[in-house]
């Protein structure tokens, strides 16, 4: 078996772009459990002087939506708190190389049909119960449960058997090879099998993570205190963490500027310019973390069942304007879902659809339409509303009249999962930041077997399955990824607009904050400079 160890985080500048991958103190980025920590240039003198982090203090995190217990096992906008309470088996570094967390080492069988895991010893849940191989078995089976909303169910279902070799060694047997098993390991939180129903009802979260949930006040926020018997010596540094629900953009920004909150990932793009000029605050973008704004299309709603109409919409949205005016310039305009860090990224794909309202009108006319009237669902938060309004304006210029349907985040996510979206919707998706095959077998908008757009294609299913069960690198893998990209562009059932990782706004007194590849907040090394 190959032992893997995390690397040491580095110190980026005040406005900086961070790679979202794993390293050092369990780093995370819109998807990394190891990305570089989001810190400011002001940290450099202390770092160079060898200043040691001081234990103590309470971190206040401003969020724009509340915890949704029923979505505990799904990656969503409400997933930020996952890594505070729960650990995962492994975490990725910048190169998508797995690093140890609750699994300390691993070895694939030569035929790729099984994986042996060695598990960390001396780990306890918050209630004092020891962590063992039975907890990993439960975690996998839990995601296989169709009652759980979990994007990586297909990968979990590829695990068809378990062989325990004591409490801390486990063999996972696979029904067929998959190349995204470590995506599952970074996504899959290790929950207490005895209290899981209490967890999904919001009554009790019992994990092995650095903090213990002490209170959930629905609509107001979450309170956490340090897990005194955490397995990582000397961690966490913070005494406590508070999540404060602040849905109004102005109030959220004010809480950061006045020091009431020291961290947020929910500052709307139009307000980031204010933050850049504000003393004591720093902005960091997790550029290799998962995140993209998109326009979704229900292909069962006429005339959206015609791909010519869908392609017209793709040509009719000004991505560059959304990037600059709505998102504050953070991200890249793109017609494909892949960040630049993905092996599936190509510049040709990114620029396949550019803003061409004349071409959009021609396509609509060729499909027999000069005017369309369509509903567009969006999340009723400031940043998401601004994206929806920009799309509404652009589509109006090509003869598509859009009626906005503002919806709360939890309800929107439920519509996404249940495939009950109206003709159009705007949201953000992830899952393009890990192994490319994961996007099309796991993400609700793209899932080849059951996606939100209700798009079905034997050819799409075939290439996705081949890419998922084949090698993760090499000429064949690249060719299959290109075929998936070509299908997405041609069928246009999901119209990507801007690729954008998490944008972090933090006090310059806060150090050591990271995210993992699924935007789980990692505060193992976080500390406040006093």
């Amino acid at each position: 078996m190959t032992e893997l160890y995390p690397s040491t985080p580095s110190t980026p500048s005040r406005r900086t772009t961070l790679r979202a991958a794993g390293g050092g103190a369990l780093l995370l980025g819109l998807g990394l459990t190891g990305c570089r920590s989001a810190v400011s240039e002001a940290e450099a003198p202390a770092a160079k002087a060898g200043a040691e982090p001081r234990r103590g203090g309470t971190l206040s995190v401003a969020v724009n939506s509340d915890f949704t217990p029923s979505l505990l096992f799904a990656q969503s906008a409400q997933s930020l708190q996952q890594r505070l309470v729960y650990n995962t088996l492994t975490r990725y570094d910048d190169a998508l190389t797995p690093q140890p967390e609750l699994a300390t080492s691993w070895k694939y069988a030569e035929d790729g049909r099984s994986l042996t895991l060695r598990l960390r010893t001396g780990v306890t849940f918050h209630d004092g119960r020891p962590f063992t191989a039975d907890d990993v078995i439960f975690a996998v089976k839990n995601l296989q449960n169709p009652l759980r909303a979990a994007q990586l169910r297909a990968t979990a279902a590829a695990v068809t058997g378990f062989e325990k070799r004591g409490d801390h060694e486990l063999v996972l047997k696979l029904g067929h090879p998959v190349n995204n098993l470590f995506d599952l390991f970074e996504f899959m939180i290790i929950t207490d099998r005895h209290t899981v129903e209490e967890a999904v009802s919001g009554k009790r979260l019992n994990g092995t993570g650095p903090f213990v949930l002490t209170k959930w006040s629905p609509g107001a926020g979450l309170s956490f205190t340090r897990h005194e018997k955490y397995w990582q010596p000397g961690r966490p540094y913070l005494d406590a963490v508070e999540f404060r629900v602040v849905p109004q953009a102005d109030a959220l920004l004010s809480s950061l500027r006045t020091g009431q909150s020291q961290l947020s990932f929910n500052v709307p793009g139009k307000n980031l310019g204010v933050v850049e000029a504000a003393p004591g605050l720093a902005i960091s973008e997790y550029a290799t973390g998962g995140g993209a704004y998109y326009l979704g299309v229900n292909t069962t709603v006429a005339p959206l069942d015609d791909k010519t109409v869908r392609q017209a919409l793709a040509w009719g949205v000004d991505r560059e304007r959304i990037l600059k005016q709505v998102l504050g310039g953070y991200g890249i305009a793109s017609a494909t879902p892949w960040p630049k860090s993905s092996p599936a990224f190509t510049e040709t794909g990114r620029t396949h659809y550019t803003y061409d309202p004349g071409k959009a009108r021609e396509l609509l006319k060729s499909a027999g339409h000069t005017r369309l009237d369509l509903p567009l669902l969006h999340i009723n938060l400031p940043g998401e509303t601004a994206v929806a309004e920009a799309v509404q304006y652009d589509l109006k210029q090509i003869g598509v009249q859009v009626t906005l349907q503002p919806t709360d985040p939890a309800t929107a996510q439920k519509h996404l999962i249940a495939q009950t979206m109206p003709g159009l919707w705007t949201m953000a998706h992830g899952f393009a930041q890990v192994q490319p095959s994961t996007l099309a077998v796991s993400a609700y908008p793209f899932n080849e077997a059951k996606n939100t757009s209700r798009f079905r294609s034997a050819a799409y299913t075939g290439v996705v399955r081949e890419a998922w069960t084949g090698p993760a690198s090499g000429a064949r893998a690249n060719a299959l990824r290109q075929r998936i990209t070509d299908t997405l562009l041609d069928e246009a059932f999901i119209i990507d607009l801007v690729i954008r990782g998490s944008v972090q706004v933090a006090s310059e007194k806060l150090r050591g904050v990271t995210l993992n590849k699924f935007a789980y907040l990692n505060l193992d090394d976080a500390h406040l400079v006093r």
Side-chain angles (χ1 to χ4, degrees):
M1 294 185 189
T2 301
E3 299 285 350
L4 298 175
Y5 301 97
S7 58
T8 303
S10 61
T11 303
S13 61
R14 186 173 193 278
R15 170 172 176 159
T16 186
T17 297
L18 305 177
R19 290 180 292 171
L26 296 185
L27 307 179
L28 320 185
L30 202 137
L32 71 265
T33 204
C35 96
R36 298 189 175 174
S37 61
V39 294
S40 73
E41 197 172 59
E43 294 187 42
K48 290 178 180 177
E52 290 294 326
R54 295 178 60 184
R55 186 164 178 167
T58 297
L59 171 65
S60 177
V61 183
V63 297
N64 62 6
S65 57
D66 198 9
F67 171 52
T68 306
S70 62
L71 298 177
L72 184 65
F73 300 105
Q75 197 279 332
S76 71
Q78 289 79 43
S79 299
L80 190 64
Q81 77 288 325
Q82 303 288 63
R83 182 51 178 67
L84 301 190
V85 178
Y86 302 108
N87 289 115
T88 57
L89 286 176
T90 58
R91 51 194 172 82
Y92 278 130
D93 64 12
D94 288 342
L96 290 183
T97 301
Q99 305 295 316
E101 194 157 316
L102 290 185
T104 58
S105 64
W106 41 87
K107 184 178 181 181
Y108 266 110
E110 290 186 5
D111 62 1
R113 298 290 291 269
S114 68
L115 179 76
T116 301
L117 295 170
R118 287 182 181 165
L119 305 177
R120 191 175 299 277
T121 59
V123 177
T124 61
F125 284 86
H126 297 158
D127 65 358
R129 184 177 66 80
F131 160 73
T132 70
D134 287 324
D135 297 300
V136 178
I137 294 172
F138 172 78
V140 174
K141 290 183 175 180
N142 183 58
L143 293 194
Q144 294 173 346
N145 185 348
L147 296 179
R148 303 290 186 229
Q151 289 98 334
L152 276 141
R153 179 174 297 115
T155 303
V159 180
T160 55
F162 306 90
E163 179 188 338
K164 286 175 54 180
R165 297 176 178 173
D167 283 343
H168 296 96
E169 187 167 335
L170 177 66
V171 180
L172 303 181
K173 299 180 180 180
L174 304 177
H176 56 81
V178 295
N179 58 30
N180 68 336
L181 197 58
F182 286 90
D183 293 4
L184 173 69
F185 292 167
E186 180 150 344
F187 170 87
M188 182 177 69
I189 55 176
I190 303 299
T191 54
D192 173 32
R193 62 188 186 275
H194 301 298
T195 59
V196 66
E197 296 305 326
E198 292 180 71
V200 295
S201 64
K203 295 178 182 177
R204 182 185 183 191
L205 304 184
N206 185 27
T208 62
F211 293 93
V212 179
L213 177 67
T214 55
K215 185 179 181 181
W216 173 38
S217 302
L222 301 161
S223 298
F224 306 88
T225 57
R226 180 196 294 120
H227 176 27
E228 296 294 349
K229 295 183 179 179
Y230 188 45
W231 55 267
Q232 198 173 174
R235 304 296 193 277
Y237 294 117
L238 295 168
D239 289 332
V241 180
E242 298 286 339
F243 274 33
R244 300 174 58 242
V245 179
V246 189
Q248 298 80 18
D250 290 344
L252 189 150
L253 183 59
S254 176
S255 73
L256 290 164
R257 296 180 70 183
T258 60
Q260 290 179 304
S261 301
Q262 296 85 37
L263 176 66
S264 183
F265 297 90
N266 300 128
V267 176
K270 67 178 183 179
N271 297 117
L272 291 173
V274 177
V275 173
E276 288 177 338
L281 294 176
I283 301 174
S284 303
E285 179 189 5
Y286 291 95
T288 61
Y293 285 93
Y294 72 94
L295 174 64
V297 186
N298 187 334
T299 63
T300 65
V301 174
L304 300 173
D305 54 348
D306 182 347
K307 76 175 181 181
T308 301
V309 174
R310 303 196 297 267
Q311 290 173 353
L313 302 182
W315 287 106
V317 181
D318 190 344
R319 293 168 176 80
E320 291 288 350
R321 182 175 69 87
I322 292 174
L323 171 62
K324 294 173 183 176
Q325 296 183 8
V326 180
L327 300 177
Y330 286 86
I332 57 170
S334 180
T336 60
W338 318 112
K340 286 187 175 181
S341 59
S342 171
F345 174 85
T346 66
E347 185 66 15
T348 300
R350 184 186 78 82
T351 59
H352 180 86
Y353 290 112
T354 53
Y355 184 49
D356 192 336
K359 186 167 186 174
R361 285 190 289 267
E362 288 177 7
L363 286 171
L364 286 175
K365 185 176 179 180
S366 71
H369 309 285
T370 56
R371 175 187 169 114
L372 294 176
D373 292 274
L374 295 166
L376 186 148
L377 181 146
H378 68 91
I379 294 174
N380 61 350
L381 293 170
E384 287 76 1
T385 298
V387 172
E389 289 174 343
V391 171
Q392 180 188 44
Y393 175 85
D394 287 344
L395 295 185
K396 183 178 180 180
Q397 312 313 307
I398 65 170
V400 179
Q401 307 296 319
V402 166
T403 302
L404 299 184
Q405 294 183 352
T407 307
D408 69 87
T411 300
Q413 185 76 5
K414 290 174 183 177
H415 280 302
L416 187 80
I417 295 169
Q419 305 170 70
T420 53
M421 286 293 190
L424 301 175
W425 71 94
T426 56
M427 288 182 72
H429 73 74
F431 295 91
Q433 74 280 13
V434 285
Q435 293 296 339
S437 61
T438 293
L439 181 80
V441 295
S442 301
Y444 295 122
F446 298 88
N447 191 308
E448 52 81 19
K450 187 179 179 182
N451 56 68
T452 311
S453 297
R454 299 190 174 189
F455 172 76
R456 298 290 182 270
S457 163
Y460 181 53
T461 292
V463 69
V464 167
R465 292 277 164 167
E466 190 178 352
W468 179 41
T469 59
S473 60
R476 181 184 169 209
N478 290 336
L480 292 171
R481 291 165 185 158
Q482 187 59 55
R483 286 172 58 192
I484 291 173
T485 299
D486 291 344
T487 300
L488 295 176
L489 291 171
D490 180 58
E491 295 291 350
F493 61 94
I494 293 297
I495 300 169
D496 274 287
L497 304 174
V498 175
I499 308 303
R500 189 177 193 251
S502 292
V503 176
Q504 172 182 304
V505 177
S507 165
E508 290 185 340
K509 293 183 178 181
L510 176 63
R511 315 286 170 80
V513 175
T514 58
L515 293 174
N516 89 337
K517 282 289 184 187
F518 295 105
Y520 301 167
L521 181 61
N522 187 316
L523 297 178
D524 283 27
D525 286 345
H527 58 282
L528 294 163
V529 177
R530 297 189 291 277

